[in-house]
Amino acid sequence: MAGVGIRISSPITERPKVACMPLARSKHWLSPYDQMGPQNSSIKVFLSQSAYCRIVMHAGSEMDDEVGGALIGLWCMDRDTEEQFIVVQHMLPAHHTRQGSVYLTFTQDTLVGFHEELEKNFAGKRIVGWYHTHPKMGIFLSHYDTFLHNNFFPEPWQVALVVEPHKSLGGFFVRDLDGGLSPTRYSGFYEMNGNLGREMVEWNNLQATEDDEMEGG
Ligand SMILES: [Zn+2]
């Protein structure tokens, strides 16, 4: 075919990886909002047990100051249903942050650091979102958190996780289908391999579903 134009080198962010949604082995944890009815959300969040443990350890390492970092993993689309989901496999603690008991902020250098580490240690993975702690506060996004999320994590499938280390609470903020983001309504997630008999999630504000999925072959 004639007329093939110059192709601008495109970032890897264009298409999700086609995969099978790992529902059968995962335990579904619901937030109080999830229990009120489904969110108009486009993205399901799957969290590996190792990433969960690392996030909890980092969150508990500073009980007064906020800490945070990047969520690393995959952006996927189920090959049958074409539903989109992300898989959080790793985390990267943030450096170059301005930390204080009231808020944590990422700087441009933080983002540069994430991308450098991603290229070096997690080739082919993406930054699927970020996490930070709210010691002695609740699970919500402040105005500033929303600003950071929209500026540094603008993709529709990028999520924000907030963790409260004292009461052991956690929740994901996921954009809805229109791109809107509620600062109060948070979601639970799917704990990968949590249905295989050793669940690890201990966040007190989340509740596991009763209707266990059938374990596939
Ligand atoms: Zn915050």
Side-chain angles (χ1 to χ4, degrees):
M1 241 195 263
V4 177
I6 294 170
R7 208 165 161 168
I8 309 228
S9 88
S10 47
I12 65 164
T13 54
E14 278 182 40
R15 303 181 120 261
K17 179 184 163 72
V18 177
C20 260
M21 200 182 280
L23 279 174
R25 295 164 154 247
S26 303
K27 190 157 213 101
H28 191 188
W29 293 92
L30 299 170
S31 76
Y33 298 97
D34 295 332
Q35 293 171 52
M36 282 154 45
Q39 186 193 0
N40 175 26
S41 156
S42 49
I43 301 289
K44 284 190 167 75
V45 177
F46 289 81
L47 178 60
S48 78
Q49 291 183 328
S50 61
Y52 170 80
C53 291
R54 283 165 197 268
I55 290 164
V56 167
M57 273 170 56
H58 188 208
S61 68
E62 282 284 349
M63 296 302 272
D64 295 315
D65 287 346
E66 295 190 6
V67 296
L71 302 173
I72 305 299
L74 302 170
W75 169 39
C76 303
M77 184 177 79
D78 185 77
R79 71 173 85 247
D80 295 324
T81 65
E82 300 196 345
E83 261 187 287
Q84 290 194 19
F85 60 102
I86 58 168
V87 181
V88 181
Q89 300 166 311
H90 307 281
M91 50 75 97
L92 291 175
H95 310 294
H96 305 108
T97 52
R98 288 198 292 270
Q99 236 166 276
S101 57
V102 182
Y103 65 90
L104 164 142
T105 178
F106 289 172
T107 65
Q108 205 60 45
D109 286 343
T110 318
L111 266 286
V112 171
F114 287 155
H115 281 282
E116 280 171 1
E117 268 193 81
L118 195 65
E119 264 177 45
K120 206 168 66 183
N121 299 320
F122 302 107
K125 313 277 188 207
R126 299 168 192 270
I127 296 174
V128 293
W130 62 299
Y131 67 93
H132 76 292
T133 57
H134 276 181
K136 296 179 182 159
M137 296 184 286
I139 304 301
F140 62 91
L141 294 179
S142 67
H143 281 301
Y144 200 76
D145 295 335
T146 302
F147 167 81
L148 288 180
H149 192 58
N150 288 332
N151 272 272
F152 290 135
F153 307 94
E155 302 289 350
W157 41 269
Q158 286 180 314
V159 300
L161 168 64
V162 176
V163 178
E164 200 292 314
H166 290 266
K167 293 188 203 147
S168 198
L169 312 173
F172 280 92
F173 293 84
V174 182
R175 291 185 175 91
D176 62 30
L177 286 171
D178 311 319
L181 182 72
S182 164
T184 52
R185 181 187 170 128
Y186 60 87
S187 304
F189 61 94
Y190 293 83
E191 176 189 3
M192 295 179 75
N193 294 329
N195 234 6
L196 301 183
R198 46 181 209 108
E199 65 188 52
M200 293 187 167
V201 173
E202 291 178 347
W203 286 335
N204 294 314
N205 57 329
L206 303 182
Q207 204 176 348
T209 43
E210 297 301 325
D211 54 310
D212 283 11
E213 305 279 342
M214 294 292 292
E215 272 189 47

